[in-house]
Every structure is written in structure tokens, then in C-alpha cells.
Amino acid sequence: MDSLWSVIWSTDFAFSILRVTTPILFAALGALISNRAGIINIGLEGIMLVAALTGVVTSAYTHSAWVGLLCAVLSGVMIAGILAFFTLQFKTHIILGGIAINMFASGGTVFFLYLLSGDKGASSSLQSKVLPNVDIPLLKDVPVLGPILSGHNVLTYASIAAVFAVYYMMKRTPLGLRIRSVGENPHAAQSVGVSVVRTQYTALLLSGLLAGLGGAYMSMGYLSLFTRDMTAGRGWIAIAAESMGRSTTVGTTLTSFLFGAANALANALTVLKIPSELIATFPYAATVIGLLVYAIGESRKRKKAAVKPNEG
Amino acid sequence: MKRKKGLLLATLAVVLLLSACSGGNGGGNASESADSGGASSPAESGKKTKVVLLVPGNLGDKSFFDAANRGMDLLKEQLGAETKVIEMGTDKTKWEPTVNDIASQDWDFILSGGADITEVFNAAAEAYPDKKFIDYDTENPEVPDNVYAMSYATNEVSFLAGAVAALTTKSSMPQANPDNVIGFLGGMDIPGINTFLVGYIEGAKYVDPDVKVAVSYAGSFSDPAKGKELSLVEYNSGVDVIFNVAGGTGLGVFDAAKEKKQYAIGVDSDQAMLMKDSDSEKANLIVTSAIKKIDTAILGAVKKGQEGTLPYGTLERMGFEQDGVGLADNEIYKSVFPADLQAKIEDIKKKLAAKEITVTDASAMETSKVEEIRNSVKP
């Protein structure tokens, strides 16, 4: 058991939690914004994948990681825009639209990768750029905290900043208020002059932007290349994190970190004498426990609502 | 007018999207997919040998399927054969109709390989007894009379990889640390991967009986981020060289190696050469790669088939003697890995070819036995 503690109580482990959580957190915040506006964006996985490829390709051709990042984010917004166009303009069912985006991304990224690099599996023949890691002055010299919090990829810090930005936007800005009102009662919102479609458009584009950042992190920060289906379900985990966090910014952030920590723990435990099959169940066990907590909370809420029927 | 314009735009967008979709999924669509031969002129080219490769998956894995595809290129260049490559995709339900479809057509040799396809392949061979089939990678010893099957001594080449790793960790190479620990990253905890692992451990212990091996499995062959995380954990625990046998997941190992300035060993293809031009810093940390020579094995088999000397109905094991496996002997290996250690590896190669060293084959080993071996070298 000694070695278990030495694995968990190490700065490397704490550092890895932040690193693992970043893409999940970005996508979960994206899910949150669209969900609060009343449309479930299940195309996050696909959006991340497209953004990951776009970032790699554009950074390789422009020799600039920042241009790559910008294009990756724009591509995320664009795909979300296409999704919004079909679901809001033509009333395609949002779930069908999301599935289409995911399938298009899975096959389409390989197709474009093949067109551009002659390769169907990985972008290792492209000289793509990587976004820098940032050492925070002063903080980096603090024992324990320094090695944990300093030296992360710039997008990891951006994901933390995004948490505050989303929190502020949802709570304190007119846009946040419109998004929440449209999500809770579109007819009421419309009756006071809020354009439901325009608000949902904005929400979907913002969720595309955040998922785009998550995708860019995958291929330009976390890793230095694009590979086929490299997001490997992180967009779906984000949707789970968002719903477990009950669509609140704080809850979503906490559950994202819970998933990140469970994954990091599973990774760290492989060096110990624990059967690999058992370790592989860790993230799922964490999900089950999380859902249990969620279910208990929900049923309590329902009981409360039952006691005070007038407010329901 | 405005509405019409909008409708037109929408139709255009749908058409574009659909065409992009079908293009993207083209790889997975069996019957009308990539023709590497270019010319699809039938009938009159009767003299040319016609060879078709059925890929049970998609090309672009940088290792297994791509190596078979290179074999097809060799056939075209060296034998002037008419070749066609069909990517059957990952949907296994499509494999059987595709294989039967191809078997009913006019092909001289029908090629496929991999543990997943063997059953379907052999069934088709029995249904079409006048056609010739080559299974370029299988472990199944039951081979129909019109099928020639090959397997590779991955345990032997992993033995060499293990020897390289154990020598690296104790060497004076710039990034080697004093800890006597080497690493292994597997895609999944399955017999095919554990064959590599057991060979690797035996090879390492042959060089240095006290060496420790950190082992982890990613549980996926297409999650490079997971591969990087697991590698970082290994490197942080004192490992200074990792052997990856994890397909696309393994690409993450090289990212971790670059970040931590530690060594890695590639698999299936010469992975250092794949990255040499785009990222030389990363390539220089890939000491060598354990290669299955699927391409030359395919060339050799078809050549023998043309001459009529191919022993159908048998499973042949391609080891060092047959030049079926080998270590990547590239410029990086020659410059990074010290010369005196290279000599030691050459010595082991000779002993393997002469059968002076026999390596355990874990492909049919019980799980508990693998577990035992794994635990005996855990750091």
C-alpha cells in the first residue's frame, strides 16, 4: 500500500490530472452552453476531431501554432454552424444532426488527411507545430504547488479561464440570461421578445468554439500529431460529465475533474502490482459512483418538489 | 425568390456534404474501393498474374496493414503483377460477402491476413477449391488444401528488442539513467500482444538477469493520448526505454519519449524512418524497431506460387532463418546505439538463426503463466 500512496501523493500525478482533464473540460463546457439553451449537442466528439485535424494541417502549412489554433477553433465553430443550420433552419432532429456530424468527422478527417498527407492513419509526415507550455513566474518556484500548477500547456490554462468565463457569462450577462430562459421555456422567452433561434444559434456556435479548443489541445498540446479517431470518446465523456454536473458550471467542472482524476489514477496504477483488468475498470467505476450520487440528488430534489407542489 | 435561393443553397450544401461523406467512408465501403493497380482492364491481360489483397480494416495504421500494402507494391514492381487492394473496413459483417465476391471472380491469388479474418477466409477457400489463397498472418494451424498460411516469429524479434532495451538501460547512452528498469506498452492484454511481451522479457533477461520490466496496457489501439499518459508514468518511475506494441496508441509513446528525452522502440514497421523528416528529434530517440517483414514475405510467397512450389495446406513460421522478422537496422540505430553493443546484438541474431537460443512462444500460453512471468520482473 506504501507504493500506492507514493504514486498518488506525487506532484507528477496531480500534474497529470490537469493534463488529462483539459480536453474533457473544454468539451463539457461546450455541452453545458448548448444544453442550457435547450439543444443537446452530441456532435462534440466530431467537432473535436475536425478541429484537431484542422489545427495540425494549418499549423504545418503556415508554420505557426497560433494560426493553427485559430483555424482549429474556427473549424469547430463552422461545424457547429452547419449543425445549427440544419437543426434550427431545417428542423432536422438535433440527435440525428449530431450523429451525422460524428460520422462525417470520423470518415471525413481520414479522407482529408489522406488528401493532404497521403496517409490514412496519422499526420506524422506533416511538420505540424505545438502550442507552448507555460512556466508561471513566482509560482513555479513554490514547492509542491509549483510543479503541479506550473509548466502546463497554454490551453490547459485556457480551459481554467474558460470555466470562469462561462460562469460569468451564464450568470451575469444578458446573453447568459437569454440562453437560460430559452432553454427553460422558449415560449415565455419568445413572448418577451427574445429570438429563440438566434439564441440557440449563438449557444451552438459557442459550444463549437469550446469543443474546437478541446480538439486543438488533443493534436497540438497533448500530442504533437493527429491520428485517426484520436479523441477516443472524450467528447462523449464530456457529455456525461455535463449531465452529471447538472448543467451547472461548478458541477460540470467538478465532474470533469472527477473523470480526469479517475483516468489519471488508472494510468498511474499500472506501475503497481495490480491486475490490468481491474485498473481498466476504474474510470467506469467512477462513472457509476458519480451517477449514483447524481441519482440520489435528483430523487431528493423530486421529493422536495412533491412536498411543495405549488412551486412545481 | 429569396426562398428559392435558400432552397438551392441548402440542396447544394447537402449534396456537398453527402459527397464528402461518401468520399470519407469510401475506405470502409468494400466493393468499390481503392484500386492501387490503377488499370482495371480485365480479360485481355491474361498473362499478368492477378493478385488481390483484402484488408480486414483500413490502411494507414503505419504498421500491419500498410506493410501488406507495400508487399502489393513490390509485386507490381518486381513481378509486374496486376494488383488490387480492397479495404473491407472495420465492420466484420461485410467481410464474408466481400471475400466470397472476390473468390468468385478471376484472381490468381487472393491475399488476406490477421487473426480476425482467418475463419472467414478459410471458409471461402473451402467453398472455392479451385482458387488459391494466401493468409499472410495467422496462428491457426488448420489450413485448407488451397490456402498457404504464414505466421511470424514475433517472439524472436521481441527477444532482440528486449536485448536492445536491456543493453540500452545499462549503457553510457546520453539519456540512459542508472535505474535498471525497461518498459513495455501493449495495446491490450491479449495473446497476440503477450507473445511480444514474453519474448521481450526473455531477451532482456538473457542480457541481464536482474533487469526489471514495467508493463502497461492501454486497452485500445487507437488512443495515442492514453499511450502518452501511460508512457509518462513509466518514464517517471525510472524507465528509460519503452517498447510499444500498441498500433496507433503507440504513437503516443514517441511523444512522451520526446518530452522526457528518453528512448523508445518501434514495432511492425521502421517507425523511426516514418518520422525522420517531419520530426528528427523524435526519430532520434527511437533506437530501433521490431519488424514483421510482411511485405517481403508476401513477395516471396507469390513468387513461389508462380513457380508452383508454394506448399499449400501448411502454416509456415517466418523466423530469422526465413528473414521473416528483423530489427530495423537504420542510420539512427547505427549512430545512437553504441557499436560494441551492436556487436552483441549481432551475436544474439546468429544464435537465434542457428536455433542455439529458443524463445518461448506465448501465443498459446495460459493467462496465469503470463501473469507469473510479468510479475517476476515487475519493478
Side-chain angles (χ1 to χ4, degrees):
Chain A
M1 264 341 232
D2 273 0
S3 50
L4 176 66
W5 291 116
S6 71
V7 164
I8 296 174
W9 294 114
S10 73
T11 51
D12 283 334
F13 176 68
F15 187 91
S16 75
I17 293 178
L18 279 166
R19 189 174 55 210
V20 173
T21 304
T22 303
I24 300 172
L25 184 56
F26 269 129
L29 290 173
L32 183 146
I33 294 177
S34 68
N35 219 3
R36 289 300 285 270
I39 32 175
I40 298 173
N41 181 3
I42 67 158
L44 292 167
E45 177 89 359
I47 294 173
M48 284 171 82
L49 205 54
V50 169
L53 176 69
T54 311
V56 161
V57 169
T58 49
S59 75
Y61 282 104
T62 60
H63 304 292
S64 161
W66 299 105
V67 176
L69 174 65
L70 182 71
C71 293
V73 171
L74 285 179
S75 74
V77 173
M78 196 188 79
I79 299 288
I82 293 173
L83 180 65
F85 185 66
F86 280 106
T87 52
L88 301 177
Q89 220 81 11
F90 295 120
K91 308 293 174 205
T92 311
H93 197 286
I94 183 75
I95 298 294
L96 290 180
I99 291 173
I101 293 288
N102 287 329
M103 290 173 79
F104 164 75
S106 179
T109 48
V110 175
F111 175 67
F112 285 109
L113 180 67
Y114 181 64
L115 277 188
L116 296 164
S117 72
D119 207 315
K120 287 185 181 174
S123 70
S124 47
S125 61
L126 295 173
Q127 290 184 331
S128 60
K129 298 282 180 251
V130 181
L131 293 159
N133 291 339
V134 182
D135 280 325
I136 301 174
L138 293 179
L139 182 64
K140 78 174 190 305
D141 299 321
V142 178
V144 185
L145 278 184
I148 295 175
L149 297 176
S150 177
H152 281 282
N153 191 269
V154 61
L155 283 181
T156 299
Y157 297 115
S159 74
I160 305 294
V163 170
F164 290 103
V166 169
Y167 183 84
Y168 179 80
M169 187 199 80
M170 296 304 282
K171 287 265 156 108
R172 296 269 184 270
T173 64
L175 175 64
L177 181 66
R178 280 205 293 273
I179 287 177
R180 281 183 289 145
S181 60
V182 163
E184 268 165 39
N185 194 335
H187 298 295
Q190 202 163 20
S191 71
V192 293
V194 174
S195 166
V196 175
V197 169
R198 190 181 297 167
T199 309
Q200 291 188 330
Y201 248 112
T202 314
L204 265 182
L205 293 182
L206 281 174
S207 90
L209 182 139
L210 285 163
L213 283 166
Y217 174 74
M218 287 301 293
S219 67
M220 301 173 68
Y222 207 166
L223 294 160
S224 61
L225 77 173
F226 174 85
T227 67
R228 169 200 290 264
D229 293 331
M230 73 182 298
T231 44
R234 287 176 178 78
W236 298 106
I237 294 174
I239 293 171
E242 190 268 350
S243 69
M244 258 173 69
R246 299 182 199 184
S247 301
T248 63
T249 315
V250 176
T252 302
T253 307
L254 289 179
T255 46
S256 297
F257 272 99
L258 174 72
F259 282 128
N263 271 307
L265 182 65
N267 293 336
L269 289 183
T270 53
V271 291
L272 303 180
K273 277 188 186 170
I274 299 174
S276 64
E277 297 86 352
L278 187 66
I279 294 170
T281 61
F282 261 81
Y284 307 103
T287 312
V288 171
I289 293 168
L291 284 173
L292 209 67
V293 173
Y294 173 70
I296 291 169
E298 278 293 285
S299 70
R300 269 197 196 147
K301 226 184 350 184
R302 224 171 295 137
K303 267 181 206 156
K304 256 188 206 165
V307 173
K308 295 181 274 182
N310 291 340
E311 286 178 21
Chain B
M1 191 58 205
K2 213 176 173 188
R3 249 183 93 175
K4 261 190 183 170
K5 209 169 161 190
L7 209 69
L8 198 77
L9 258 172
T11 326
L12 199 76
V14 170
V15 168
L16 269 176
L17 202 73
L18 279 178
S19 61
C21 270
S22 67
N25 290 336
N29 200 338
S31 45
E32 65 233 354
S33 158
D35 180 357
S36 85
S40 55
S41 59
E44 63 263 12
S45 56
K47 282 160 269 167
K48 272 190 176 176
T49 307
K50 290 177 71 177
V51 189
V52 61
L53 170 68
L54 302 167
V55 180
N58 295 298
L59 295 178
D61 62 350
K62 290 254 172 263
S63 61
F64 187 66
F65 297 135
D66 285 359
N69 192 36
R70 277 200 305 279
M72 297 304 277
D73 291 341
L74 287 179
L75 289 179
K76 208 167 27 167
E77 285 163 24
Q78 302 198 7
L79 304 180
E82 184 184 328
T83 62
K84 185 178 174 76
V85 179
I86 296 173
E87 294 171 81
M88 298 194 288
T90 47
D91 181 357
K92 292 183 184 177
T93 58
K94 285 184 183 161
W95 293 356
E96 194 174 340
T98 311
V99 175
N100 282 317
D101 223 26
I102 291 297
S104 68
Q105 294 168 10
D106 172 34
W107 295 99
D108 294 319
F109 299 101
I110 300 165
L111 272 60
S112 192
D116 290 345
I117 188 77
T118 299
E119 201 179 314
V120 171
F121 203 60
N122 286 352
E126 274 162 17
Y128 294 88
D130 52 331
K131 290 285 161 56
K132 300 298 182 198
F133 295 80
I134 297 173
D135 191 342
Y136 65 78
D137 190 354
T138 183
E139 296 289 340
N140 189 350
E142 284 163 36
V143 185
D145 291 339
N146 54 335
V147 176
Y148 168 72
M150 293 186 263
S151 72
Y152 301 83
T154 46
N155 55 337
E156 289 182 12
V157 70
S158 301
F159 186 92
L160 271 185
V164 169
L167 289 173
T168 300
T169 190
K170 278 196 128 181
S171 72
S172 55
M173 286 160 72
Q175 321 304 351
N177 64 28
D179 287 356
N180 197 12
V181 191
I182 59 174
F184 179 90
L185 179 77
M188 285 182 187
D189 192 356
I190 53 174
I193 298 297
N194 286 330
T195 313
F196 283 91
L197 173 67
V198 171
Y200 182 68
I201 291 175
E202 285 188 355
K205 285 178 92 171
Y206 178 81
V207 172
D208 175 6
D210 299 327
V211 74
K212 297 288 174 201
V213 186
V215 180
S216 40
Y217 299 94
S220 160
F221 287 98
S222 59
D223 190 349
K226 179 101 182 164
K228 183 177 180 182
E229 281 299 329
L230 292 171
S231 312
L232 287 174
V233 169
E234 287 195 10
Y235 285 135
N236 284 337
S237 74
V239 167
D240 45 14
V241 52
I242 296 178
F243 180 35
N244 92 82
V245 190
T249 300
L251 292 170
V253 175
F254 305 132
D255 257 28
K258 185 180 170 186
E259 194 171 309
K260 286 280 161 189
K261 300 269 179 297
Q262 301 287 353
Y263 296 108
I265 296 176
V267 77
D268 287 349
S269 296
D270 188 345
Q271 294 188 301
M273 288 299 114
L274 296 173
M275 275 159 235
K276 188 172 66 95
D277 295 328
S278 60
D279 196 340
S280 60
E281 196 187 332
K282 207 192 274 181
N284 281 326
L285 292 167
I286 306 173
V287 183
T288 184
S289 296
I291 308 176
K292 274 187 194 179
K293 297 187 178 171
I294 292 174
D295 45 354
T296 50
I298 285 179
L299 178 68
V302 172
K303 229 183 219 169
K304 276 191 196 165
Q306 281 179 327
E307 293 158 2
T309 56
L310 197 63
Y312 290 102
T314 57
L315 171 69
E316 261 195 291
R317 191 164 175 78
M318 315 296 284
F320 270 95
E321 294 164 278
Q322 297 88 353
D323 195 31
V325 291
L327 276 190
D329 201 1
N330 55 38
E331 58 202 74
I332 293 166
Y333 173 71
K334 281 181 182 136
S335 65
V336 172
F337 198 57
D340 56 322
L341 302 184
Q342 284 184 37
K344 279 190 188 169
I345 294 295
E346 286 308 313
D347 191 43
I348 297 173
K349 266 189 202 167
K350 274 185 206 129
K351 283 185 180 161
L352 279 171
K355 298 269 173 221
E356 280 173 42
I357 301 173
T358 47
V359 188
T360 311
D361 185 357
S363 56
M365 196 183 262
E366 278 174 40
T367 320
S368 58
K369 189 84 199 298
V370 174
E371 184 77 36
E372 205 177 289
I373 295 171
R374 213 159 43 200
N375 283 335
S376 70
V377 290
K378 268 213 170 170

